[in-house]
């Protein structure tokens, strides 16, 4: 009997270590809300030390009173950080108690365990597999899909956009969708893949996507930041920026969503190469943002809708993020994201907030959506997909389909509205 008890304790202790319920030995993600300016300062400090990783907001400067901060704390600094918070009377909640284990699991999942029962689109894929998928999709659909090389990354990886053109109607307009500007937001490329697959499978089956694809071509860039994405699979799951170096510092990477020419590098972006929101040496200094900007410039007369997919927070954002001013067509855009959020709520019972970026999250100049809007692509949006912080960037693969369905209904709502306003009359979207 005694041996049995000993075995039980050994087993239980191991379980504690594995599940992370033993706080001393596992990394955690904490949700912390500072109540005073002093607490804000403490949190800004903590978030730049002890090898912690700030998940939300993107930069310590954006930490403010009464707003949740999500902070990754590695196992070895867990005690120090918790003591520090306690000393300053800052309370916290544990969002994830086993972050490293989840990271490991999501990477292992890649090979596609045949016993898991999940399909290709219900898993995250590494960069090589996404390139293979791009190739396969173009080859298997020679009349409707074309892979267009729009440029290459700093490390010379190709940037392929897929052009979906489901019929030969003359003078068709177009929509642009990019995914994976920020490397760690894995749900974003996963959505782009699902969107392409859905469009090809449900054209002439679902009336909304049929109407959209009858009226516009769609350009889909599944991974805008391939170097960063690769890095999240091999070295650092929480990497955000691209991988270009800067002279005179060992800090790497530019935030591609601060590198566009829209109030570039003003408040809400940083000139410090070590910052997560580093704006780069000059607007479009990065080959990735330049490639997208060049493509949009060359096709601005046909592209009506610009959509950039990010995570996380569940938000549907419209310009501007680079100024507190309203866009010239603010009410029109606002009405669209409002309807899109209502549809997500109606069909999937999930809450998305919506509005102008600067007012809904924070001032964030140099973003692609604001730049595209100023270029003349009036209908410009950024979606922040699931979730609201429970898993954050580590959204489990089993949530990919649900998160993508929500983005899809929002996309349909907006595209149908744009078609209705600018082209033929359109109906209301159905469930997907
Ligand atoms: O800060 C960002 O770039 C986006 N949020 S994220 O958490 N995915 O990093 C929001 C982008 C909103 N649009 C612009 N800043 N232009
Ligand atoms: Zn992002």
């Amino acid at each position: 009997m005694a041996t049995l008890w000993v075995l039980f304790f050994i087993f239980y202790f191991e379980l504690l270590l594995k599940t992370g319920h033993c706080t001393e030995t596992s990394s955690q993600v904490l949700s912390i809300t500072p109540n005073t300016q002093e607490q804000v300062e403490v949190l800004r400090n903590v978030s730049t030390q002890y090898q912690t990783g700030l998940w939300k907001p993107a930069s310590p400067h954006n930490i403010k009173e009464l707003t949740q901060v999500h902070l990754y704390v590695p196992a070895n600094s867990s005690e120090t950080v918790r003591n520090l918070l306690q000393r300053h009377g800052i309370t916290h909640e544990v969002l994830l108690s086993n972050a490293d284990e989840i990271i490991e699991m999501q990477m292992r999942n890649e090979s596609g365990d045949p016993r898991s029962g999940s399909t290709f689109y219900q898993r995250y894929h590494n960069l090589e597999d996404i390139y293979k998928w791009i190739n396969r999709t173009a080859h298997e659909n020679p009349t409707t899909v074309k892979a267009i090389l729009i440029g290459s990354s700093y490390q010379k990886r190709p940037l392929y956009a897929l052009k979906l053109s489901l019929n030969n109607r003359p003078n068709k307009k177009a929509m642009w969708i990019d995914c994976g500007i920020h490397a760690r937001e894995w749900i974003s490329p996963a959505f782009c893949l699902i969107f392409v697959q859905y469009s090809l499978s449900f054209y002439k089956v679902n009336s909304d996507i049929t109407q959209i694809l009858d009226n516009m071509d769609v350009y889909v860039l599944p991974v805008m930041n391939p170097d960063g994405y690769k890095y999240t699979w091999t070295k650092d799951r929480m990497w955000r920026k691209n991988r270009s170096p800067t002279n005179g510092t060992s800090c790497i990477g530019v935030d591609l969503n601060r590198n566009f020419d829209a109030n570039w590098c003003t408040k809400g972006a940083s000139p410090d190469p070590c910052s997560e929101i580093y704006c780069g040496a000059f607007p479009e200094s990065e080959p990735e943002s330049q490639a997208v900007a060049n493509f949009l410039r060359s096709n601005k007369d046909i592209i009506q809708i610009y959509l950039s997919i990010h995570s996380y927070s569940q938000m549907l954002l419209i310009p501007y993020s680079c100024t507190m001013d309203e866009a010239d067509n603010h009410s029109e855009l606002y009405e669209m994201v409002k309807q899109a959020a209502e549809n997500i709520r109606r069909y999937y019972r999930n809450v998305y907030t919506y509005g102008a970026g600067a007012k809904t999250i924070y001032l964030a100049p140099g973003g692609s959506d604001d730049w595209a809007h100023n270029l003349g692509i009036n209908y410009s949006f950024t979606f922040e997909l699931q979730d609201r912080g429970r898993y954050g960037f580590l959204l489990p693969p089993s949530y990919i389909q649900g998160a993508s369905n929500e983005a899809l209904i929002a996309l349909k709502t907006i595209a149908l509205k744009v078609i209705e306003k600018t082209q033929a009359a359109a109906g209301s979207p159905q469930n997907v």
Side-chain angles (χ1 to χ4, degrees):
M1 189 65 186
T3 337
L4 262 179
W5 275 113
V6 171
L7 278 174
F8 173 77
F9 275 117
I10 292 173
F11 173 77
Y12 188 66
F13 185 63
E14 263 192 40
L15 196 74
L16 276 179
L17 289 180
K18 276 191 190 146
T19 55
H21 291 305
C22 182
T23 49
E24 308 307 326
T25 53
S26 66
S27 55
Q28 298 184 323
V29 179
L30 307 180
S31 174
I32 314 160
T33 307
N35 292 318
T36 62
Q37 194 51 38
E38 189 221 314
Q39 295 186 347
V40 167
E41 294 307 327
V42 173
L43 271 182
R44 282 186 180 154
N45 262 319
V46 173
S47 71
T48 54
Q49 291 177 65
Y50 314 110
Q51 294 160 303
T52 59
L54 190 57
W55 282 24
K56 192 181 147 161
S59 151
H61 296 287
N62 293 117
I63 296 177
K64 55 179 190 221
E65 283 173 50
L66 307 177
T67 308
Q68 274 189 15
V69 170
H70 296 168
L71 188 70
Y72 169 87
V73 183
N76 54 7
S77 34
S78 168
E79 206 179 328
T80 321
V81 169
R82 276 183 300 132
N83 285 342
L84 229 150
L85 295 179
Q86 204 175 14
R87 224 177 316 132
H88 289 87
I90 308 175
T91 54
H92 69 267
E93 205 186 296
V94 178
L95 286 176
L96 273 184
S97 54
N98 52 348
D100 291 339
E101 200 194 333
I102 295 181
I103 291 174
E104 212 202 293
M105 242 168 54
Q106 292 188 359
M107 286 172 166
R108 241 187 295 133
N109 195 38
E110 160 58 17
S111 58
D113 181 351
R115 290 162 304 182
S116 75
S118 64
T119 73
F120 181 87
Y121 295 97
Q122 290 161 349
R123 298 196 302 270
Y124 294 115
H125 294 282
N126 66 28
L127 189 63
E128 284 65 35
D129 283 0
I130 295 181
Y131 278 128
K132 281 187 208 152
W133 172 87
I134 291 175
N135 224 330
R136 206 169 52 239
T137 306
H139 272 101
E140 285 173 0
N141 302 278
T143 56
T144 50
V145 181
K146 235 192 228 106
I148 304 174
L149 184 66
I150 64 156
S152 53
S153 67
Y154 174 78
Q155 292 170 342
K156 300 284 175 260
R157 294 192 172 88
L159 297 170
Y160 286 114
L162 288 176
K163 179 184 182 185
L164 310 183
S165 192
L166 273 289
N167 66 36
N168 295 323
R169 284 198 193 175
N171 308 323
K172 251 189 302 170
K173 295 290 183 187
M175 162 161 61
W176 167 274
I177 307 173
D178 57 56
C179 291
I181 286 193
H182 291 140
R184 62 193 177 187
E185 299 164 10
W186 282 11
I187 184 62
S188 171
F191 168 75
C192 261
L193 268 56
I194 285 190
F195 175 78
V196 170
Q197 139 84 6
Y198 178 82
S199 298
L200 298 174
S201 311
F202 285 87
Y203 179 66
K204 296 286 186 212
V205 176
N206 172 279
S207 62
D208 296 330
I209 201 69
T210 306
Q211 193 169 1
I212 292 166
L213 294 167
D214 273 342
N215 285 285
M216 48 177 70
D217 292 337
V218 186
Y219 294 95
V220 181
L221 175 59
V223 187
M224 179 166 156
N225 175 11
D227 301 346
Y229 190 69
K230 169 96 192 176
Y231 199 72
T232 61
W233 275 85
T234 51
K235 298 272 167 30
D236 177 0
R237 175 64 182 84
M238 287 310 142
W239 192 257
R240 169 182 167 92
K241 303 185 282 182
N242 75 350
R243 292 291 304 162
S244 74
T246 300
N247 280 341
T249 167
S250 61
C251 291
I252 301 277
V254 171
D255 182 347
L256 297 175
N257 216 28
R258 299 292 180 280
N259 192 234
F260 286 79
D261 199 1
N263 291 357
W264 178 80
C265 220
T266 52
K267 189 168 184 276
S270 170
D272 173 6
C274 299
S275 163
E276 289 284 30
I277 50 170
Y278 175 43
C279 57
F282 51 88
E284 291 178 32
S285 58
E286 303 311 294
E288 298 88 353
S289 33
Q290 200 183 75
V292 171
N294 282 340
F295 186 85
L296 295 177
R297 263 190 292 264
S298 315
N299 294 284
K300 74 184 171 80
D301 296 334
I302 56 159
I303 297 179
Q304 281 186 308
I305 302 176
Y306 173 86
L307 173 59
S308 194
I309 305 290
H310 290 249
S311 76
Y312 60 93
S313 284
Q314 297 180 195
M315 288 175 178
L316 308 177
L317 302 173
I318 55 175
Y320 286 112
S321 293
C322 65
T323 162
M324 294 305 255
D325 296 349
E326 285 187 350
D328 47 3
N329 59 343
H330 175 83
S331 4
E332 195 184 15
L333 295 176
Y334 189 83
E335 203 43 50
M336 288 178 176
V337 283
K338 179 166 183 264
Q339 260 191 35
E342 274 167 14
N343 279 335
I344 294 177
R345 205 190 172 112
R346 180 173 320 141
Y347 289 114
Y348 300 112
R349 310 237 151 271
N350 215 356
V351 176
Y352 277 61
T353 45
Y354 51 87
K359 288 182 184 146
T360 314
I361 356 181
Y362 38 56
L363 266 174
S368 57
D369 49 0
D370 288 348
W371 178 83
H373 181 81
N374 288 344
L375 181 71
I377 304 176
N378 293 333
Y379 300 106
S380 180
F381 306 86
T382 291
F383 290 177
E384 298 272 4
L385 307 196
Q386 283 188 25
D387 56 12
R388 299 233 292 217
R390 172 152 184 231
Y391 294 104
F393 303 116
L394 301 180
L395 193 72
S398 55
Y399 288 67
I400 294 174
Q401 190 63 56
S404 299
N405 284 345
E406 292 167 2
L408 191 56
I409 196 106
L411 182 159
K412 282 179 173 184
T413 308
I414 288 167
L416 288 172
K417 201 62 188 166
V418 171
I419 291 168
E420 181 191 305
K421 279 167 177 269
T422 59
Q423 302 179 32
S428 58
Q430 297 171 345
N431 204 343
V432 283

